[in-house]
Amino acid sequence: MADLVSDVMVASLMIGGALMSLAAAVGLLRFPDLMARMHAATKPQVLGLLFFLLAIAVQQRSWQVLPVLLVAWIFQILTVPVSAHMVGRAGYRTKHLRKDLLSIDELDEVVERAATKRRESDPAGQ
Amino acid sequence: MTRQRIPFITELPLIIWLVIVWGALWQDFSLGNLIFGALIAFAVANLFYLPPVELSGRFNPLYAAGFAGRFLYKLVVASFEVFWLSLRYGPRLKNAVVAVKLRSPSDLLVTATGHAISLIPGSLVVEVDRSTSTLYLHCLNVSTPAEADRVRRDVRRTEEWLIRVMGTREDLAILRTEERFEKERAAGT
Amino acid sequence: MTIVVWIVGAILGVAALCAVYRVARGPSILDRVLALDVLLAIIGGALAVDMAVNGHLDNLVPLVAISVIGFIGSVTVARFVTERK
């Protein structure tokens, strides 16, 4: 009985994790610009890996493995936003962002203001 | 090479974390292993010098548990939402870059808030203005100012939770004044 | 259990194909890096499924290593793209 319950849990957790991977891939395929793809690509991975790690924990059925699985997940939590931010910033700065898809852009005016200020203080250019 | 001495107490959270990682990797939390891990952690923390993180010295485990629960809930909901959006709208999606002004001037809190926001699908930190602690977020499926406002409120609520978990006393004071203000305004209308 | 493994394998395979398509198509280098990141995550997921199905923990270190490689790779490329202009 306990075996059946844990098997069902492992199975559903694995399918959930796989679905999250699929979500990332489908988003990668269908979203129109880099930034939107980024949302789809980086985030579902976090939940997906959590599902997979939980599946391992349920399958092993011992408290010993829990810390190492948690550490693996925390490392992912710490690294994913950093790489997402770096790629996103690079995308914004190199104009990979499609402005026509944005309804509001509150960073644009700030960037413009900073650019004009720099031009005024340094007329010779770079 | 000159470097400023870090007091042991600010180093302690880092060392504890490193010891936990050590124990987890060996899958062995016996005393001997932990002491050996602590020695290595101490050596690593002193050999590979990092600028100290300024902690506030406060930590509320109750709110931390609440924050973790809220975070996991939002993570699950938003992950499925992004999946749904990619299937339903795909290429016809409107996004926005929204500026969110945070309350706290502390680097740690701004970083933690940005991290939590980035991990929850649908929002992503594009740029940070450290001098005014403003986050510029790229948000999926935001097309009206009202929706942008909702994002802003949500981010500020996340920050509120984090302040309650580990903010400084000044941040807490700001929070309290804000609450009083809200209450008065609610009573006034 | 075997059926579940097949289903999970199929989903991961389809996801990997989508990611590979984006790597080949991707208009910019950042798109490709992003897609490679997703591909690495899918490989990590496959390693985790192997562990869960066969009941061992041997793949845990490769799993962490893969996510670190993805992290370092995308940060490096993003830095170079930002600095270049």
Side-chain angles (χ1 to χ4, degrees):
Chain A
M1 189 62 205
D3 266 5
L4 187 67
V5 171
S6 83
D7 267 8
V8 168
M9 270 176 81
V10 170
S12 44
L13 282 170
M14 282 196 317
I15 288 181
L19 276 180
M20 283 298 121
S21 292
L22 187 67
V26 169
L28 212 54
L29 216 57
R30 277 179 62 87
F31 279 144
D33 72 336
L34 176 71
M35 303 297 272
R37 272 179 219 140
M38 182 102 107
H39 285 289
T42 48
K43 311 327 168 33
Q45 288 176 19
V46 178
L47 192 62
L49 189 67
L50 179 67
F51 281 160
F52 283 135
L53 292 179
L54 279 178
I56 295 171
V58 171
Q59 197 270 341
Q60 293 273 327
R61 259 186 277 168
S62 80
W63 295 106
Q64 287 272 311
V65 298
L66 218 52
V68 64
L69 297 177
L70 201 64
V71 163
W73 195 55
I74 288 177
F75 269 123
Q76 215 211 1
I77 279 193
L78 289 177
T79 53
V80 158
V82 178
S83 63
H85 164 70
M86 290 295 285
V87 175
R89 203 175 64 139
Y92 192 92
R93 293 205 172 167
T94 49
K95 314 292 177 215
H96 279 306
L97 186 70
R98 281 173 56 188
K99 301 268 180 192
D100 55 314
L101 293 171
L102 286 181
S103 54
I104 308 164
D105 190 352
E106 289 171 346
L107 181 55
D108 193 37
E109 37 197 284
V110 182
V111 172
E112 282 299 313
R113 220 180 307 136
T116 43
K117 205 188 277 170
R118 200 170 336 127
R119 238 173 278 138
E120 276 160 16
S121 65
D122 181 21
Q126 266 87 71
Chain B
M1 199 164 99
T2 55
R3 61 173 68 151
Q4 118 204 37
R5 280 278 341 135
I6 313 166
F8 183 68
I9 192 79
T10 48
E11 235 175 29
L12 203 59
L14 175 66
I15 288 181
I16 289 176
W17 163 241
L18 286 175
V19 170
I20 291 175
V21 171
W22 176 264
L25 287 180
W26 282 107
Q27 294 177 39
D28 174 15
F29 281 91
S30 62
L31 190 65
N33 195 30
L34 286 189
I35 289 174
F36 190 57
L39 281 177
I40 291 181
F42 191 74
V44 163
N46 279 289
L47 276 179
F48 304 103
Y49 174 78
L50 282 175
V53 178
E54 304 217 349
L55 298 172
S56 64
R58 261 189 73 252
F59 186 78
N60 187 330
L62 214 64
Y63 276 111
F67 176 76
R70 179 177 184 269
F71 175 75
L72 280 179
Y73 167 73
K74 292 197 78 114
L75 191 65
V76 172
V77 169
S79 290
F80 282 102
E81 203 175 286
V82 169
F83 195 10
W84 171 242
L85 282 177
S86 69
L87 288 175
R88 170 81 177 71
Y89 293 102
R92 289 166 286 113
L93 199 65
K94 282 286 180 193
N95 310 317
V97 176
V98 183
V100 185
K101 176 103 181 57
L102 298 179
R103 306 174 181 91
S104 169
S106 121
D107 282 347
L108 178 70
L109 261 174
V110 173
T111 313
T113 313
H115 243 87
I117 293 304
S118 289
L119 278 169
I120 292 168
S123 50
L124 178 84
V125 178
V126 180
E127 200 76 59
V128 184
D129 187 345
R130 213 177 133 195
S131 58
T132 57
S133 53
T134 308
L135 296 177
Y136 295 92
L137 306 175
H138 183 273
C139 304
L140 269 187
N141 198 25
V142 170
S143 48
T144 58
E147 280 174 317
D149 249 16
R150 215 184 52 218
V151 170
R152 223 165 276 151
R153 257 204 312 281
D154 192 50
V155 173
R156 285 176 66 88
R157 201 160 303 136
T158 305
E159 195 209 4
E160 190 185 313
W161 271 94
L162 279 169
I163 286 179
R164 286 189 205 281
V165 173
M166 58 179 185
T168 57
R169 286 181 203 296
E170 290 81 41
D171 295 334
L172 272 177
I174 298 176
L175 219 57
R176 266 192 220 108
T177 343
E178 213 171 77
E179 254 166 30
R180 210 164 45 227
F181 188 70
E182 289 283 316
K183 223 171 269 168
E184 271 165 23
R185 208 173 54 180
T189 50
Chain C
M1 208 61 183
T2 332
I3 306 168
V4 172
V5 173
W6 275 101
I7 294 174
V8 170
I11 296 176
L12 287 179
V14 170
L17 278 181
C18 294
V20 169
Y21 172 76
R22 184 49 78 187
V23 173
R25 236 336 274 292
S28 71
I29 183 144
L30 287 172
D31 281 304
R32 295 200 167 96
V33 162
L34 209 59
L36 281 174
D37 218 15
V38 173
L39 196 58
L40 280 179
I42 292 169
I43 293 171
L47 288 176
V49 168
D50 175 42
M51 279 191 284
V53 172
N54 296 329
H56 60 89
L57 291 171
D58 302 344
N59 292 346
L60 218 52
V61 176
L63 191 67
V64 175
I66 275 182
S67 65
V68 170
I69 288 171
F71 167 67
I72 294 173
S74 45
V75 167
T76 315
V77 172
R79 267 207 84 103
F80 275 116
V81 169
T82 322
E83 306 281 296
R84 196 173 50 187
K85 30 157 216 163

